Amino acid sequence: MAFVMRAQWPGASWDQRASRGRLLLHLVLLIVLLPLVVVLLGRSATDGFDSLASGCTALSLSPGRTPPLYLGLAAYRFVDKLAYLEIGDRALGLSTADLFGNNADSSHYLRALPGGGRVLFDALGPGLLTFARMQEKIGAPWQLNRDGELLKVSASDLGQQRPTSSVASLLPYPFSLNVDEDEGSSIIALPLPFAQRLTLSTTRPNGNFYALYRRLPWGSTPSQCSASTRAQLASALVSTHATGLSEMAPWQWKSGQLTLLPRKRVTLLTLQGPAQIRELTFRVPLREAVAFGKSWLSIAWDGEREPSVAAPVKFLAGDGAGLYQPTKRPLVASWLATIESEGSNHQQLLAFHLYWPMPFSRSARLMLQSPQELTAVGWSVALEPFPDPPAWWGTFHATYTSVSHPPQGQALTLLDVRGSGKLVGTVINFWRPDGTLEGNPEITLDDSLTPQIEITGTEEWGLGGDYWHGGQQTSLPLGGFPSGPANPPGSERDGAALYRFLVADSIPFNRHLVFRLGHGSHNQSPYPYRALLLWYGTARQTATLSDTLLPAQASSRLQHGYQAADERFYALRAAALYQQGNTVHSGIVSAVGGSLSFSLRLAANNVGAFLRRLFDYCAPNQSAAVYVDGAFAGIWYSPGVANHGPPGSPRRCWREEDYPLPAQLTAGKGAIHLRLVPVSLSQTSSPAWTAFRYQAYSFLP
């Protein structure tokens, strides 16, 4: 399939303004990149790495017109605001996943270092690293360089519940996990804000790696938390649940008990708003627990005809496989949902707790339906007032999908939703821990051609590794493998399932989200899948496509006042990143060595905007200084380069990437004038900035 564009190939002579463009480039290097020099030097200081302010509050990118952003540790501290939309930032990922859709998922590191190390993550600020996962202990010790402060992290520093070193104290459990706790991964989950640059590298060849992060508009400063607050939040994630962080709000409790008849849906409660459910609990006798786990909970918000929540109870509580009572742990011991034994020897109960905050404006109708008769289902609900502006948040959704026969050669689409919101959890039944887990989760946001987030394997999404060391069960505050084929004899066995809950690392979208899951390394696994995806959302889109520029098309250049120094064009015939198969796309790409400028239209009522560029990722480490109407708006940096794949495979060069603009430079404007000046951040940078297409998206209030 070809991209829709036509353009004449230009003459061989380059623009006469090339020398002036190079002079401008040097000036930009001196003026713009001077603050980054200290970053590149990388001074070592754990004290500086821990110098976090005592804040931990919301960030406002467009005060009064958009919801506050509760980012980083503030997302945990103010979990009651988890339903808030995110307007103004962009969620992205970096991954070593095989660009060619195969299973060499440690192959795409960003660049090699002397001595055998490799750079796995590299981003310019302002930004926020929310999650980083390394395979086993491969490549350790790892080096984190944040704004010029270097931290060397050994595998033994991770996951310490009683830290014994300064590094371990910076990354306490569960803001870090080791391979014994999660069965196969070394994880840094402490949100790390950075103002200038953050890199993560290995000291020897790497294993599978992926990271999640936020790119913030230039000039914004992520809220930070003190060391004492970080310690309190870490303790809360381990010892309590999400409601344990709440302020002393005037909660209202309702409770009752009911009998369920086979296949008859019963309304157990109707609530009036505006309010927010903070805790929903069910307790059933142990003899009825398996049947109750298969019962469906449905919740309809604000009079909707089709419930937004409709799923088996056990999936909602974090276990998509067999229900049983482990001897040394709760079945699910997460921060946002638990399944655990309660009661005395005379009356053994299994309790299902849901701690997801669930706001509604007018009403909430809760319904249950069981496959068989259940005689004693106890329930309780905790409510708090929720007067927050309805335009600021989305309702809670639980979307359940069952695929009996996965299509061969095609990934499974588990969620495809339009509107605005954020992905906050998955519970996936994958039959058994074997090669079927080689399939990669993939997340595409807001109609991008290529996914923003590519994970290196299914169990790695669930925080484990190497099939959880061959099927070893674990249940952690934000992910795990609680149940599978190794359940004890006599207990329920219902395949195997993972859960992954996202708070600081939730994945926001402003117009469209697609979550796909590979089944096996080449989508060849025949086993059934069942999955529950948890998300907040509204049908309203908070970003709209406002304008498109095709640099190689004469009419588009004229319409947008496009000018470029030291520009050439070339034809690119290649596949897109992570694409299965060998389908190629064709287009004419602009490569610019000097300054380029153009205008793009915006929605006049915008509260910010982001740029999207479709470019040639086979040109390495492209970066450009961005100016909006003459004001500096940061450096757009696309680290790494597409590597070569198997013989006979087309190159994977096409990539699409987003860059947010400061709201104060766009708000109220029907158009902006942009100037991009290619700059060099390293000796491996591309001499040119490439683009097939530029698009402007307007954030809407």
Side-chain angles (χ1 to χ4, degrees):
M1 152 178 145
F3 294 119
V4 181
M5 77 161 290
R6 296 289 185 270
Q8 296 296 318
W9 192 275
S13 62
W14 284 17
D15 196 297
Q16 296 297 318
R17 293 169 294 179
S19 61
R20 281 180 289 172
R22 294 190 187 96
L23 178 59
L24 179 60
L25 169 61
H26 294 158
L27 291 174
V28 170
L29 283 170
L30 288 173
I31 298 172
V32 175
L33 295 183
L34 186 60
L36 295 176
V37 171
V38 67
V39 178
L40 299 176
L41 291 177
R43 51 190 168 86
S44 178
T46 56
D47 289 342
F49 210 93
D50 194 32
S51 60
L52 297 177
S54 60
C56 201
T57 58
L59 172 67
S60 295
L61 297 181
S62 184
R65 304 195 67 196
T66 59
L69 301 184
Y70 292 92
L71 301 177
L73 290 177
Y76 296 106
R77 184 182 179 193
F78 299 98
V79 69
D80 59 310
K81 310 299 185 185
L82 189 59
Y84 272 32
L85 307 178
E86 289 192 26
I87 301 174
D89 60 346
R90 301 305 293 157
L92 298 168
L94 278 174
S95 170
T96 61
D98 192 335
L99 299 184
F100 292 79
N102 296 313
N103 200 36
D105 280 337
S106 64
S107 61
H108 182 240
Y109 53 89
L110 297 181
R111 56 185 178 273
L113 296 172
R118 293 166 178 176
V119 176
L120 304 181
F121 182 91
D122 189 3
L124 296 189
L128 179 71
L129 177 67
T130 59
F131 183 89
R133 182 267 178 191
M134 288 72 71
Q135 181 180 3
E136 300 286 350
K137 303 176 182 179
I138 302 173
W142 303 282
Q143 297 190 97
L144 268 171
N145 191 322
R146 187 183 71 159
D147 293 340
E149 295 158 350
L150 183 65
L151 185 71
K152 184 176 288 187
V153 182
S154 299
S156 60
D157 292 322
L158 302 177
Q160 292 189 20
Q161 299 196 35
R162 294 179 176 84
T164 58
S165 69
S166 59
V167 175
S169 297
L170 293 175
L171 304 169
Y173 177 91
F175 291 134
S176 72
L177 299 170
N178 63 49
V179 296
D180 296 323
E181 292 160 341
D182 57 36
E183 302 293 349
S185 290
S186 293
I187 288 173
I188 297 173
L190 177 70
L192 293 174
F194 54 98
Q196 297 171 328
R197 190 173 192 172
L198 189 145
T199 63
L200 189 153
S201 58
T202 68
T203 53
R204 50 181 59 89
N206 60 284
N208 293 3
F209 166 83
Y210 75 93
L212 306 176
Y213 71 107
R214 298 284 207 285
R215 179 176 277 170
L216 299 172
W218 177 257
S220 55
T221 303
S223 176
Q224 302 183 7
C225 296
S226 65
S228 61
T229 300
R230 181 177 64 239
Q232 292 170 2
L233 291 171
S235 176
L237 283 168
V238 176
S239 61
T240 184
H241 44 72
T243 58
L245 288 181
S246 64
E247 304 296 335
M248 297 302 293
W251 283 18
Q252 178 184 7
W253 286 87
K254 297 178 180 290
S255 61
Q257 185 166 312
L258 74 161
T259 296
L260 296 178
L261 299 178
R263 295 175 296 281
K264 182 178 180 181
R265 191 162 73 175
V266 174
T267 297
L268 64 94
L269 186 63
T270 298
L271 303 169
Q272 302 301 314
Q276 179 166 236
I277 295 173
R278 292 302 307 275
E279 182 176 336
L280 175 58
T281 294
F282 298 100
R283 293 179 174 88
V284 296
L286 198 58
R287 65 182 183 277
E288 296 184 344
V290 170
F292 182 74
K294 297 177 181 178
S295 299
W296 278 56
L297 173 67
S298 301
I299 307 177
W301 310 114
D302 299 328
E304 62 188 2
R305 297 183 64 180
E306 293 296 327
S308 292
V309 175
V313 171
K314 67 178 182 179
F315 273 79
L316 286 162
D319 176 29
L323 283 173
Y324 78 106
Q325 292 179 290
T327 56
K328 297 182 180 180
R329 62 171 174 89
L331 178 58
V332 176
S334 87
W335 193 56
L336 290 157
T338 62
I339 303 177
E340 57 188 342
S341 299
E342 293 182 358
S344 64
N345 293 332
H346 301 289
Q347 180 65 24
Q348 282 286 307
L349 303 173
L350 199 63
F352 302 76
H353 299 276
L354 307 181
Y355 302 117
W356 295 99
M358 301 184 233
F360 54 96
S361 292
R362 301 186 307 278
S363 65
R365 184 184 177 207
L366 285 69
M367 297 160 280
L368 279 172
Q369 182 174 340
S370 170
Q372 66 185 59
E373 182 176 357
L374 299 176
T375 58
V377 178
W379 58 267
S380 64
V381 177
L383 284 176
E384 68 175 349
F386 197 73
D388 305 41
W392 283 11
W393 49 268
T395 51
F396 184 71
H397 293 70
T399 303
Y400 180 80
T401 302
S402 178
V403 182
S404 299
H405 303 287
Q408 297 301 290
Q410 297 179 29
L412 307 176
T413 299
L414 300 182
L415 184 65
D416 186 342
V417 59
R418 293 191 177 274
S420 303
K422 63 177 67 169
L423 179 70
V424 293
T426 60
V427 181
I428 301 173
N429 183 301
F430 48 84
W431 191 245
R432 64 190 183 204
D434 59 12
T436 191
L437 294 169
E438 297 297 339
N440 291 355
E442 179 180 280
I443 302 170
T444 305
L445 305 172
D446 300 336
D447 303 319
S448 177
L449 175 71
T450 55
Q452 284 89 343
I453 296 167
E454 184 82 12
I455 311 303
T456 53
T458 304
E459 84 276 25
E460 294 155 26
W461 174 249
L463 306 187
D466 296 322
Y467 310 159
W468 287 281
H469 287 159
Q472 300 298 313
Q473 295 179 7
T474 183
S475 184
L476 302 165
L478 295 171
F481 172 53
S483 177
N487 290 356
S491 62
E492 183 192 20
R493 295 181 179 178
D494 186 18
L498 65 86
Y499 67 91
R500 170 73 183 273
F501 298 152
L502 305 108
V503 182
D505 53 351
S506 63
I507 299 169
F509 59 99
N510 297 100
R511 50 186 292 114
H512 191 193
L513 179 141
V514 180
F515 185 104
R516 295 188 178 93
L517 177 66
H519 51 102
S521 59
H522 293 82
N523 290 316
Q524 84 287 6
S525 174
Y527 301 115
Y529 278 78
R530 288 172 287 156
L532 180 69
L533 271 74
L534 305 171
W535 54 284
Y536 292 94
T538 173
R540 302 186 307 274
Q541 293 187 337
T542 53
T544 183
L545 175 59
S546 300
D547 205 357
T548 298
L549 162 66
L550 302 173
Q553 189 178 88
S555 60
S556 186
R557 291 166 68 97
L558 180 63
Q559 179 184 1
H560 295 90
Y562 181 90
Q563 295 182 336
D566 196 2
E567 182 178 31
R568 65 184 178 89
F569 295 91
Y570 61 94
L572 178 62
R573 181 175 171 82
L577 268 62
Y578 308 120
Q579 167 184 306
Q580 290 277 345
N582 293 325
T583 302
V584 297
H585 309 266
S586 298
I588 305 299
V589 174
S590 160
V592 179
S595 175
L596 65 148
S597 62
F598 52 90
S599 295
L600 291 174
R601 293 185 299 273
L602 294 177
N605 65 333
N606 79 82
V607 290
F610 69 91
L611 303 177
R612 175 169 286 172
R613 175 176 63 117
L614 177 59
F615 67 104
D616 179 5
Y617 191 52
C618 288
N621 299 312
Q622 300 174 52
S623 53
V626 180
Y627 296 84
V628 178
D629 292 330
F632 182 63
I635 297 178
W636 191 344
Y637 177 37
S638 304
V641 61
N643 55 335
H644 294 284
S649 295
R651 294 183 301 164
R652 260 58 174 180
C653 296
W654 292 113
R655 179 182 177 185
E656 200 152 39
E657 189 181 59
D658 299 344
Y659 186 82
L661 299 175
Q664 63 269 27
L665 299 183
T666 69
K669 297 179 180 179
I672 53 174
H673 184 263
L674 292 153
R675 184 163 63 95
L676 305 180
V677 184
V679 296
S680 176
L681 297 180
S682 68
Q683 293 180 345
T684 60
S685 293
S686 172
W689 173 262
T690 69
F692 168 82
R693 179 177 68 202
Y694 294 98
Q695 292 179 315
Y697 285 81
S698 300
F699 287 118
L700 303 177

